[in-house]
């Protein structure tokens, strides 16, 4: 059962890998899967390093002397009251209001009657007597049925009908008027006003001629233009690209690193420009691994860290040249992948150790 499951897993993986491989490959050629790179463009922007501002200068206020006529006593009034005048008048009113007396004539009726059906007409089946000429000895053989009808039954009820409804008649009762005396206002009280004029005086005072103010001189802003990288087109489309078969194997990048250093020299940058940049330009979108190694001398932890820093230095330089960082893999292997026998505790020549101190590159699948 375990063997069957293993075979099924291998077959499934083979089918998946086969489906993921390039279509119509040619014998003897090598292919790597690459990602369409992001496309960036340079864009210039201007930033303000120092904003515009104003320089202010104050001008003092100026004053002048003026003469002014001022009010020292308000205008007023003296008042004289004229009393009201009265008179009398006669006013009529209703001493007793009129009304009505009412007389009622009752309703009258006439005799009448109404006939009501108390039982409706109906019919029933009834059994008749035997026929006189019946030949059967059984009298029931000669009997017959009749469907007999009966008339409806009625009764008469004595009633009364309204001849005339009850009515009311009115008889008016007269009203009585009277008068009384009333004192009325002929003319109301009034006030006679006499104006007392205001009093003025001439004074001298110092007034503001022109207030203090400021003058402003504008100092323009200081700007600086910088160039930044802007994403123009997003990459990511995975395709297969034909490459030289030698490039999928580790190739030497002959950088002579200074002892214990991960800083690229001018010569190292020239080697990267002439060796790596053409490979990347000729294989756009292909991912590149940069692998750095050390010899076995020294502490293994320090060797691992040094190799990682050296691989990162190469990747950072490529990024500064415009290479998309997503297409670069920087790996440091320290002394883990020696090319010869020169492990810890084994005496080797400087040339043998130098063979292990190397930086390499290869094209890899995404």
């Amino acid at each position: 059962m375990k063997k069957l499951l293993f075979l099924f897993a291998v077959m499934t993986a083979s089918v998946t890998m086969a489906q993921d491989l390039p279509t119509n490959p040619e014998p003897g050629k090598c292919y790597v899967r690459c990602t369409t790179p992001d496309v960036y463009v340079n864009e210039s922007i201007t930033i303000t390093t120092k904003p515009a501002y104003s320089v202010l200068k104050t001008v003092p206020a100026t004053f002048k002397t003026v003469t002014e006529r001022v009010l020292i006593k308000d205008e007023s009034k003296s008042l004289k009251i004229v009393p009201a005048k009265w008179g009398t008048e006669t006013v009529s009113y209703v001493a007793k209001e009129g009304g009505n007396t009412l007389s009622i004539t009752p309703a009258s009726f006439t005799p009448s009657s109404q006939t009501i059906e108390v039982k409706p007409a109906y019919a029933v089946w009834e059994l008749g007597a035997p026929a006189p000429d019946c030949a059967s000895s059984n009298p029931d053989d000669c009997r017959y049925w009749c469907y007999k009808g009966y008339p409806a039954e009625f009764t008469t009820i004595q009633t009364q009908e309204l001849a005339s409804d009850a009515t009311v008649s009115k008889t008016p009762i007269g009203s009585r008027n009277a008068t009384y005396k009333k004192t009325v206002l002929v003319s109301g009280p009034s006030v006679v006003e006499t104006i007392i004029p205001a009093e003025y005086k001439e004074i001298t005072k110092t007034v503001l001629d022109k207030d203090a103010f400021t003058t402003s001189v504008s100092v323009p802003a200081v700007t600086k233009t910088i160039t930044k990288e802007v994403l123009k087109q997003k990459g990511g489309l995975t395709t297969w690209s034909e490459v030289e078969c030698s490039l999928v194997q580790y190739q030497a990048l002959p950088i002579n690193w200074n002892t214990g250093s991960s800083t690229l020299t001018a010569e190292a940058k020239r080697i990267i420009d002439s060796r790596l940049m053409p490979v990347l330009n000729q294989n756009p979108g292909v991912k590149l691994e940069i692998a750095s190694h050390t010899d076995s001398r020294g502490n293994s932890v320090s060797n691992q860290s040094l190799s990682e820093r050296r691989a990162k230095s190469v990747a950072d330089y490529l990024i500064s040249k415009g290479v998309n960082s997503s297409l670069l893999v920087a790996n440091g292997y320290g002394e883990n992948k020696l090319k010869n026998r020169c492990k810890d505790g084994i005496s080797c020549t400087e040339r043998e150790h130098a063979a292990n101190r190397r930086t390499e590159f290869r094209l890899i699948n995404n």
Side-chain angles (χ1 to χ4, degrees):
M1 184 62 182
K2 290 183 179 179
K3 289 182 178 180
L4 288 175
L5 290 174
F6 174 76
L7 289 174
F8 177 74
V10 171
M11 291 174 65
T12 302
S14 299
V15 171
T16 301
M17 292 178 63
Q19 289 177 346
D20 195 36
L21 291 175
T23 57
N24 302 319
E26 296 184 25
K29 292 187 177 181
C30 297
Y31 302 86
V32 292
R33 189 168 54 185
C34 59
T35 300
T36 303
D38 294 341
V39 178
Y40 292 85
V41 294
N42 289 332
E43 181 180 283
S44 295
I45 60 171
T46 300
I47 61 173
T48 302
T49 58
K50 187 176 183 180
Y53 63 97
S54 299
V55 176
L56 302 178
K57 179 181 179 182
T58 62
V59 178
T62 57
F63 299 86
K64 63 182 179 180
T65 301
V66 297
T67 300
E68 183 179 341
R69 185 170 180 259
V70 295
L71 178 68
I72 59 173
K73 184 179 181 182
D74 286 330
E75 180 185 271
S76 62
K77 298 176 182 179
S78 63
L79 303 177
K80 181 181 178 181
I81 299 175
V82 178
K85 295 181 180 180
W86 301 89
T88 60
E89 68 177 17
T90 301
V91 181
S92 297
Y93 68 97
V94 178
K96 181 181 179 183
E97 292 183 347
N100 296 284
T101 59
L102 302 178
S103 176
I104 297 175
T105 302
S108 61
F109 300 89
T110 58
S112 180
S113 64
Q114 184 176 353
T115 300
I116 299 174
E117 183 182 42
V118 296
K119 186 175 183 180
Y122 67 97
V124 296
W125 288 99
E126 293 185 355
L127 185 64
D133 55 351
C134 181
S136 174
S137 59
N138 186 356
D140 290 334
D141 290 342
C142 298
R143 287 183 178 276
Y144 57 91
W145 290 89
C146 294
Y147 191 62
K148 186 176 181 180
Y150 293 90
E153 296 180 11
F154 298 87
T155 183
T156 299
I157 299 174
Q158 299 299 318
T159 62
Q160 288 184 339
E161 292 183 353
L162 182 64
S164 61
D165 205 355
T167 58
V168 177
S169 60
K170 295 181 179 181
T171 302
I173 300 173
S175 62
R176 181 170 56 83
N177 296 327
T179 60
Y180 63 91
K181 296 294 182 178
K182 175 182 178 183
T183 300
V184 295
L185 183 66
V186 175
S187 62
S190 61
V191 177
V192 178
E193 296 181 351
T194 302
I195 297 177
I196 301 172
E199 297 179 13
Y200 295 89
K201 179 181 179 180
E202 295 288 333
I203 63 170
T204 301
K205 65 179 182 179
T206 301
V207 296
L208 180 67
D209 181 33
K210 190 175 184 181
D211 200 2
F213 63 94
T214 60
T215 58
S216 175
V217 177
S218 296
V219 179
V222 179
T223 61
K224 181 179 180 180
T225 301
I226 62 172
T227 301
K228 69 174 184 177
E229 194 175 70
V230 179
L231 179 64
K232 180 180 179 182
Q233 181 178 344
K234 184 67 177 174
L237 178 64
T238 300
T239 59
W240 284 94
S241 178
E242 179 185 344
V243 297
E244 295 180 22
C245 288
S246 60
L247 294 177
V248 298
Q249 304 295 326
Y250 283 115
Q251 303 289 310
L253 189 64
I255 297 175
N256 292 320
W257 300 95
N258 292 328
T259 303
S261 173
S262 61
T263 301
L264 292 174
T265 63
E267 176 62 20
K269 293 179 180 179
R270 187 194 65 77
I271 293 173
I272 294 172
D273 290 341
S274 62
R275 188 72 182 95
L276 284 186
M277 290 303 294
V279 173
L280 292 172
N281 292 334
Q282 293 167 10
N283 300 279
V286 174
K287 184 171 285 189
L288 177 76
E289 180 192 9
I290 301 153
S292 189
H293 305 263
T294 66
D295 59 32
S296 61
R297 292 180 295 183
N299 181 274
S300 62
V301 175
S302 298
N303 286 338
Q304 177 65 35
S305 176
L306 177 61
S307 65
E308 290 174 359
R309 294 198 307 273
R310 287 175 173 176
K312 185 176 183 301
S313 293
V314 176
D316 289 344
Y317 177 71
L318 290 173
I319 293 171
S320 71
K321 300 285 287 185
V323 178
N324 194 321
S325 60
S326 65
L327 300 179
L328 300 175
V329 177
N331 289 325
Y333 294 99
E335 57 184 79
N336 295 320
K337 293 189 177 183
L338 301 176
K339 298 187 72 174
N340 51 34
R341 62 186 182 84
C342 299
K343 299 180 180 179
D344 290 338
I346 297 177
S347 177
C348 292
T349 65
E350 182 61 32
R351 185 174 182 178
E352 289 175 317
H353 283 303
N356 292 322
R357 294 194 306 272
R358 66 195 187 279
T359 299
E360 303 170 322
F361 71 91
R362 66 167 178 164
L363 300 182
I364 60 175
N365 284 328
N366 288 324

